[in-house]
Amino acid sequence: MSQKREGAVSLAACVCAEFIKMRRAPIWIAFLVLPAVSTVIGCANYLANIDVLTPGWESLWTQQTLFVCYFFLPALLGAGASYLWRLEHQGSNWNELMAAPIPAWCVFTAKLAAGAFLSAVAFAAMTALFVVSGLVLGVPGSFPVAEFVEEVALGWVGSLAIVAIQLVVSLLVRNFAAPVGIALGGGILGLLAATVGLGSVFPYALMQTGMNSNALVVLDAVTIARILVMSVAWVVAAGTFVSVWLRRVDIHA
Amino acid sequence: MGSVTLPVALGLEFRKTRRRHLCLIGMSLLAFQLVWLCANMSSYAKKSPDFTAILAMLPALNAIVLPLLCTVVVSTMVDVENRADMWKELLTMQDARSVVVAKWLCAALVIGVLVTVQTVVVVVVGVSFGLTENIPCPALLAQYWVSTFVVCLMLATIIQAICLATANPFVPLVAGVGLCFLGLFVAYLPQVFSWLIPSAYFFVLAVAGLDFDAASQVARFHVLPLNVPGLVVAVLVTVAVGVLSLRAFSRKEL
């Protein structure tokens, strides 16, 4: 079997292993419940502030996603990344992982795939709930399909940078809770980065910029390209770091 | 079963947290909060040197950061036994109630230190940004410290109850993130809703408020007296949740 095919087989096996580890885990519920809570409260805010806001799909989107994308979705993704590394950090599982005949990049990519899927679950829930809530509330105006698909897609791509960085943090920090705090801090720094014009560069700002939750971002071709390129760059950088770390740092319990 | 006194149990809890860098993690979270506060202060200070504005801003920042900070502290302490599945062995040497109370006291002391640091740093940073009007007097600072600490303790007690109920660390973390989220969002609804969410008590017990005159577009900040009913509710919730979780854990089949 060629090396490429072996690598692909290892990666597929690793991805399957990650999803097997998450079977029957409560983690899925959190990625559905947080968007649901955000939708309900966003709708309440939208109705309570209808005199101040411009009624429409854009205002509803900002009310539902503003705080979620700045602080709470990064924190939830951080918790997800911690969960993905937790099993390896327990007992002698780390030694087992290091002794397994799997390339280091496969380990990271598999966990990234799992984290990306979790993020996709959250975005899918946000999307579905946004559409349903908008229809129920009778939001005026036609549904901006193209804009909305663009914002959701860019938001998800931007979230991959957060997942990748948090996987690095959770690899290095064996405390389960601390990386979640770092993710929240990253979200705060992302908010500040966006205000100084680094919204399409700083990893924790990419999701916020892509989702355009404050309706202040102009998603032109340059901005979109920058978000895509920087997301990929951060993912590749994180993956390279993890691969080098796993290959070179000695086993420790 | 050996009898371990509370001071010894408390000392053991602190030894268990050695090399977990709890204070460092807590300070880092506070640092993120302060960076954000500084970013807001730098633009505000140009318009008005009124320090009360900072006190009015703090509940929102606290609602975002402090519930997660309390969750990180408590979760780390309880995870020591959860991760190694050491509960049964520990409870052959120490009473369950003693373990729970010691962990709670340890968390309370760490959180107390962090709230103290936050209070001092906010004053120092506020003055250094030129907000020299209405600098809070010691009594007001004490009111702020007590209000913030009591709410943090309430949140820590709730999170500890969740940590003791389930071995999965993901559940209390999601609860912590959820409390941050709800606390902030509920602040935008009528104040009566804030009484229903534990993390919204940062707003219920706020030491400063804002009056906005829509006609003249002028915002005026003013100091608020201590919300005694809010404080009493927070303390009662803390005691109730603490007692219930203590009883539930004492009787839990491990």
Side-chain angles (χ1 to χ4, degrees), chain B residues 153-177:
Chain B
L153 212 55
M154 175 173 60
L155 295 171
T157 309
I158 293 169
I159 296 296
Q160 184 175 312
I162 298 172
C163 288
L164 293 172
T166 172
N168 190 330
F170 188 77
V171 177
L173 272 170
V174 168
V177 172

Side-chain angles (χ1 to χ4, degrees), chain B residues 4 16 41-42 54 76 81 124 149 152 190 210 212 218 232 238:
Chain B
V4 176
K16 287 178 204 172
M41 272 200 272
S42 61
I54 306 302
T76 302
E81 278 82 19
V124 168
F149 179 68
C152 286
L210 164 70
F212 185 72
V218 169
V232 168
T238 305

Side-chain angles (χ1 to χ4, degrees), chain A residues 30-48 57 59-69 72 121-137 139 148 211, chain B residues 181-182 185 189:
Chain A
F31 283 86
L32 291 169
V33 168
L34 185 68
V37 172
S38 166
T39 300
V40 169
I41 297 180
C43 289
N45 261 353
Y46 174 81
L47 292 172
W57 290 97
S59 295
L60 184 64
W61 179 246
T62 59
Q63 293 304 302
Q64 288 188 1
T65 59
L66 191 67
F67 293 123
V68 163
C69 76
F72 306 117
V121 166
F123 273 90
M126 263 193 287
T127 303
L129 291 167
F130 171 68
V131 173
V132 167
S133 62
L135 292 171
V136 167
L137 291 177
V139 171
F148 179 63
M211 287 172 75
Chain B
F181 185 65
L182 286 173
F185 249 125
L189 300 175

Side-chain angles (χ1 to χ4, degrees), chain B residues 15-215:
Chain B
R15 290 189 80 177
K16 287 178 204 172
T17 61
R18 231 167 28 167
R19 295 195 201 97
R20 294 194 183 263
H21 311 298
L22 269 182
C23 278
L24 178 63
I25 295 167
M27 299 286 187
S28 304
L29 272 173
L30 288 182
F32 285 125
Q33 188 189 45
L34 284 165
V35 164
W36 192 8
L37 186 66
C38 290
N40 285 338
M41 272 200 272
S42 61
S43 54
Y44 178 78
K46 291 170 194 165
K47 297 175 206 165
S48 168
D50 189 358
F51 195 101
T52 317
I54 306 302
L55 298 176
M57 265 187 240
L58 279 173
L61 298 181
N62 286 344
I64 293 171
V65 175
L66 294 186
L68 195 61
L69 187 149
C70 297
T71 303
V72 170
V73 169
V74 171
S75 175
T76 302
M77 285 182 186
V78 179
D79 202 38
V80 171
E81 278 82 19
N82 275 335
R83 209 165 135 181
D85 204 14
M86 291 288 293
W87 285 112
K88 278 189 176 169
E89 194 167 330
L90 177 65
L91 294 179
T92 61
M93 296 179 282
Q94 194 176 346
D95 181 50
R97 290 167 196 252
S98 157
V99 171
V100 173
V101 170
K103 284 191 186 292
W104 184 85
L105 279 174
C106 187
L109 286 167
V110 170
I111 290 168
V113 166
L114 292 171
V115 171
T116 307
V117 168
Q118 188 210 44
T119 307
V120 169
V121 173
V122 161
V123 173
V124 168
V125 172
V127 169
S128 68
F129 267 86
L131 298 167
T132 49
E133 201 176 286
N134 296 324
I135 294 174
C137 60
L140 185 60
L141 285 176
Q143 180 186 334
Y144 171 77
W145 188 93
V146 167
S147 303
T148 308
F149 179 68
V150 164
V151 179
C152 286
L153 212 55
M154 175 173 60
L155 295 171
T157 309
I158 293 169
I159 296 296
Q160 184 175 312
I162 298 172
C163 288
L164 293 172
T166 172
N168 190 330
F170 188 77
V171 177
L173 272 170
V174 168
V177 172
L179 282 171
C180 293
F181 185 65
L182 286 173
L184 183 64
F185 249 125
V186 161
Y188 291 89
L189 300 175
Q191 228 220 358
V192 65
F193 291 100
S194 297
W195 287 76
L196 303 173
I197 306 294
S199 48
Y201 272 70
F202 289 113
F203 297 97
V204 172
L205 295 176
V207 299
L210 164 70
D211 290 323
F212 185 72
D213 186 352

